[in-house]
Amino acid sequence: MKSRWMSFLVPFLAVMVSLLIAAVIILSIGENPLKAYGAMIRGAVGSRLSWADNITKMTSLLLTGLAVGFGFRAGVFNIGAEGQMAMGGIMAVTVGLSLGNVPPAIAIPVTIVAGMAGGAFWASIAGWLKAKTGAHEVISTIMLNWIAYHITNYLVAGPFAVGAGVPKSPEIAQSAQLPALLTVQASSIPSSILIAIVAAIVIYIILEKTTTGYEVKSVGFNPYAAEYGGISISKNIVLTMAISGALAGLAGALEVMSVHHRIFGAFTSDRGFDGITIALIGQNNPIGIIFAAFLISSLRSGSNAMQTIGVPDDIIVVIQGIIIFFVAADRIIRTWIMKASQLGKKKSPITLQGGEEE
């Protein structure tokens, strides 16, 4: 079977199998899985309000998925999208607070660039450490996540602190806020989803149509062969981390500019870690990551509706975990597909012989 079809079938079957296993778990707690999944679908796409919540979640998930997936293509395990997203949000607030007298046509792109620069710088630290000292990026990015987390908490409780209650920063200038595509009651569909989709298309073009993309993929496929061919591994590791971090930083900036308009402690809500799941489901393909982000945001949005019929929303975490297992251990799914394919080939002569037995 062609690898392109296999790349589609493996995550699709992983999702189907995970839903079947989750259905058994739902049955074991005395609930009807069909009703549970029906409620989940209605909660995800059943109304304009559901779509608004779904698309809002999808925006940052898409960008963190792209961040992790781009790193994977170069063989770099960027586990630090969470911290890079936080740094992107911090930079967006820092710049956005001082743009009150600047028109939106300038304030919006400046704030976006500031957020991307913050994420790119934070990720580049891990890239530089790996390129120059051999420090593994998994360890360094995890440590940088914690540093970013504490920096955020310090800023919202200290220099940026405003008002009472939950520690938070002031709102950025009105001119730096992104307008909504559609307002539904107290929610809205953010225009930032368009920026996220354009980012996915740009990353696809970079990977598939440019020399930079070719070098990045070469380093990820076989670094020794790439180096033998004259490609600088160190340069591509730092560049990959910078681009990956810029995407996560963009997620943080857009979260600030279109959703919260400020930062507070843990405003990233683990979206950076969800990016790992999304990159795996999307097979590290930017277009596949768009659909994977929509799947995960739909599961998250629908989980609240499942609770109304007595199914705990933790079941979504179980589904997500099973999906990761089958996508990561894709040989299991590939073996099932190959056996099913061979079974079909064995049966075909019987049909040609007019139904004679083997």
Side-chain angles (χ1 to χ4, degrees), residues 11-94:
F12 176 77
L13 289 177
V15 172
M16 292 297 106
V17 172
S18 65
L19 290 175
L20 283 175
I21 294 175
V24 174
I25 297 173
I26 294 171
L27 275 173
S28 70
I29 61 175
E31 300 295 338
N32 186 331
L34 293 178
K35 287 185 178 178
Y37 288 150
M40 183 180 72
I41 292 172
R42 287 193 299 275
V45 295
S47 66
R48 290 201 301 174
L49 186 62
S50 302
W51 275 102
D53 181 47
N54 196 341
I55 297 300
T56 301
K57 287 184 172 67
M58 177 187 170
T59 302
S60 53
L61 290 172
L62 169 54
L63 289 167
T64 55
L66 284 174
V68 177
F70 190 84
F72 282 164
R73 296 295 290 267
V76 178
F77 295 88
N78 179 16
I79 313 298
E82 183 77 7
Q84 294 145 23
M85 181 178 173
M87 295 307 293
I90 290 172
M91 287 300 296
V93 166
T94 303

Side-chain angles (χ1 to χ4, degrees), residues 19-320:
L19 290 175
L20 283 175
I21 294 175
V24 174
I25 297 173
I26 294 171
L27 275 173
S28 70
I29 61 175
E31 300 295 338
N32 186 331
L34 293 178
K35 287 185 178 178
Y37 288 150
M40 183 180 72
I41 292 172
R42 287 193 299 275
V45 295
S47 66
R48 290 201 301 174
L49 186 62
S50 302
W51 275 102
D53 181 47
N54 196 341
I55 297 300
T56 301
K57 287 184 172 67
M58 177 187 170
T59 302
S60 53
L61 290 172
L62 169 54
L63 289 167
T64 55
L66 284 174
V68 177
F70 190 84
F72 282 164
R73 296 295 290 267
V76 178
F77 295 88
N78 179 16
I79 313 298
E82 183 77 7
Q84 294 145 23
M85 181 178 173
M87 295 307 293
I90 290 172
M91 287 300 296
V93 166
T94 303
V95 173
L97 286 173
S98 57
L99 297 175
N101 298 320
V102 179
I106 298 175
I108 288 175
V110 167
T111 308
I112 288 175
V113 170
M116 294 179 71
F121 169 74
W122 206 243
S124 297
I125 296 173
W128 184 85
L129 288 172
K130 180 179 177 66
K132 298 299 180 183
T133 70
H136 202 288
E137 70 275 15
V138 171
I139 305 300
S140 56
T141 51
I142 289 174
M143 291 192 294
L144 286 166
N145 282 344
W146 282 106
I147 295 172
Y149 172 76
H150 287 294
I151 289 176
T152 307
N153 284 338
Y154 165 73
L155 289 174
V156 297
F160 284 169
V162 63
V166 177
K168 55 186 176 296
S169 73
E171 287 195 358
I172 60 174
Q174 187 77 31
S175 59
Q177 298 177 13
L178 282 168
L181 286 178
L182 179 67
T183 300
V184 184
Q185 300 177 19
S187 299
S188 61
I189 297 178
S191 56
S192 52
I193 185 62
L194 302 178
I195 299 174
I197 292 173
V198 169
I201 295 170
V202 170
I203 292 299
Y204 177 82
I205 293 172
I206 290 175
L207 283 171
E208 303 299 332
K209 306 293 181 184
T210 68
T211 304
T212 299
Y214 174 78
E215 291 186 357
V216 165
K217 290 187 294 184
S218 298
V219 170
F221 185 72
N222 191 327
Y224 301 107
E227 188 173 33
Y228 185 77
I231 296 173
S232 171
I233 295 178
S234 298
K235 185 196 82 173
N236 278 284
I237 287 175
V238 177
L239 178 64
T240 298
M241 287 299 291
I243 294 174
S244 178
L247 290 165
L250 178 60
L254 296 183
E255 189 79 3
V256 168
M257 297 171 68
S258 62
V259 181
H260 305 300
H261 302 149
R262 64 172 87 223
I263 58 169
F264 47 86
F267 79 97
T268 52
S269 304
D270 291 339
R271 305 279 169 80
F273 295 117
D274 287 331
I276 300 170
T277 307
I278 292 163
L280 289 172
I281 296 174
Q283 300 282 290
N284 303 325
N285 183 308
I287 306 304
I289 287 172
I290 294 176
F291 294 100
F294 180 70
L295 170 68
I296 296 300
S297 65
S298 298
L299 291 175
R300 292 293 173 84
S301 300
S303 64
N304 294 331
M306 289 175 70
Q307 290 187 83
T308 60
I309 63 168
V311 178
D313 62 349
D314 292 334
I315 198 72
I316 297 302
V317 180
V318 174
I319 293 173
Q320 193 169 320

Side-chain angles (χ1 to χ4, degrees), residues 10-12 14-15 277 279-283 322-331 333:
V10 169
F12 176 77
V15 172
T277 307
L280 289 172
I281 296 174
Q283 300 282 290
I322 298 171
I323 293 173
I324 293 174
F325 172 78
F326 280 112
V327 173
D330 62 343
R331 186 168 292 277
I333 299 289

